[in-house]
Amino acid sequence: MSPMANRFRHHRFFFYDFWRKLIALCLALLVWKLVDMQLRSVVPVQQVRVKVKYDTRKYYLKEDNFLVDLEASTPSRMTQLDPELFQIEVTLPTTYEHSGIYYLKLRNRHVVKKPLRVNIKTFQPNNLAIPFDVLVPEELKVHINTQGKVKSGFEYSATCRPKTVRIIGPSQVIRNIPEVSTEPLQLSPDIAKSFSVPCAIIKPHTAVRVFPSQVTVDVLVENTLSTASQSFSSLSP
């Protein structure tokens, strides 16, 4: 046999032997897959937390505690799964300009963490409803909250700097806030002269931010007896 024919024979042997090995490997993988499917079981997983990712500078979530139940396909030796082994994440789009509800169908691509060789079969509920609101700014007047009285025979008046503050919060919350108040400014009968003091602004809602967070309150204290005496003196002939 010539060297060229011998080379061709070896080439054919290698070519056909390679494909036989590849086919055998594919058949082995197919058998393993079928056996694995027969041995797998479906395990319920309850109360898996769903994390909602959103732009905190633009939106406010009216609800942030989303839980779903899963049916997971697992190897036969797994009979129970901790919900902490799973992590589901969804994203609120940034295209909404008004408050509403974002509806989302849960899919396997939302599962960002799960145990090895565990597959998700179903979600319950399958659809997620995420209520949200948009954040809006508003300029509001500051109400000075004073408690108590100054010294007998004296009167007081209070003003603040600045007179208004800027707040940012959910639109449906902001529309129901006519003004903001300072923390209580306690007066006492010992006070007989004017003074200034910083006072913090009380947040009208947990989802509302206030800028600035405090104002300066100027309290003007006047002696009414002295003022009355001066008035009578001016009327004397």
Side-chain angles (χ1 to χ4, degrees), residues 34-195:
L34 292 173
V35 171
D36 183 66
M37 290 176 62
Q38 293 294 326
L39 295 177
R40 295 179 75 86
S41 57
V42 176
V43 177
V45 186
Q46 296 182 333
Q47 304 292 288
V48 178
R49 188 174 299 278
V50 179
K51 180 181 179 181
V52 181
K53 300 172 68 175
Y54 64 100
D55 189 348
T56 56
R57 298 166 301 177
K58 187 174 182 179
Y59 299 113
Y60 166 75
L61 292 188
K62 298 179 182 180
E63 180 184 347
D64 59 0
N65 188 28
F66 298 98
L67 300 172
V68 297
D69 297 337
L70 307 176
E71 279 191 351
S73 174
T74 70
S76 58
R77 65 178 179 273
M78 294 185 182
T79 58
Q80 189 173 1
L81 292 171
D82 192 321
E84 295 297 327
L85 297 174
F86 297 84
Q87 184 175 340
I88 301 175
E89 289 185 0
V90 298
T91 302
L92 177 67
T94 59
T95 54
Y96 293 98
E97 299 296 334
H98 304 283
S99 62
I101 301 177
Y102 175 56
Y103 294 97
L104 174 73
K105 186 174 183 178
L106 291 174
R107 302 183 184 275
N108 283 331
R109 60 184 172 86
H110 295 127
V111 181
V112 297
K113 186 183 78 171
K114 62 183 180 64
L116 188 65
R117 295 187 62 198
V118 171
N119 299 323
I120 307 302
K121 294 180 67 68
T122 62
F123 299 89
Q124 185 62 39
N126 191 32
N127 294 312
L128 202 64
I130 305 174
F132 67 93
D133 198 355
V134 294
L135 300 179
V136 296
E138 188 68 51
E139 198 83 14
L140 294 180
K141 182 181 178 181
V142 178
H143 169 71
I144 304 171
N145 183 11
T146 58
Q147 295 181 357
K149 296 180 179 181
V150 294
K151 188 175 182 178
S152 177
F154 288 78
E155 289 183 350
Y156 76 91
S157 60
T159 58
C160 67
R161 296 175 281 131
K163 295 182 178 181
T164 62
V165 294
R166 186 171 183 260
I167 68 172
I168 299 176
S171 63
Q172 295 182 350
V173 173
I174 294 293
R175 70 176 61 168
N176 296 319
I177 303 177
E179 63 181 11
V180 294
S181 298
T182 65
E183 289 185 342
L185 174 59
Q186 195 66 44
L187 303 176
S188 70
D190 298 329
I191 297 175
K193 62 179 182 178
S194 302
F195 65 94

Side-chain angles (χ1 to χ4, degrees), residues 10-27:
H10 283 298
H11 176 74
R12 288 183 61 191
F13 173 80
F14 173 79
F15 180 78
Y16 287 113
D17 188 59
F18 169 78
W19 284 107
R20 281 198 296 268
K21 289 180 179 179
L22 182 61
I23 293 172
L25 178 61
C26 292
L27 290 173

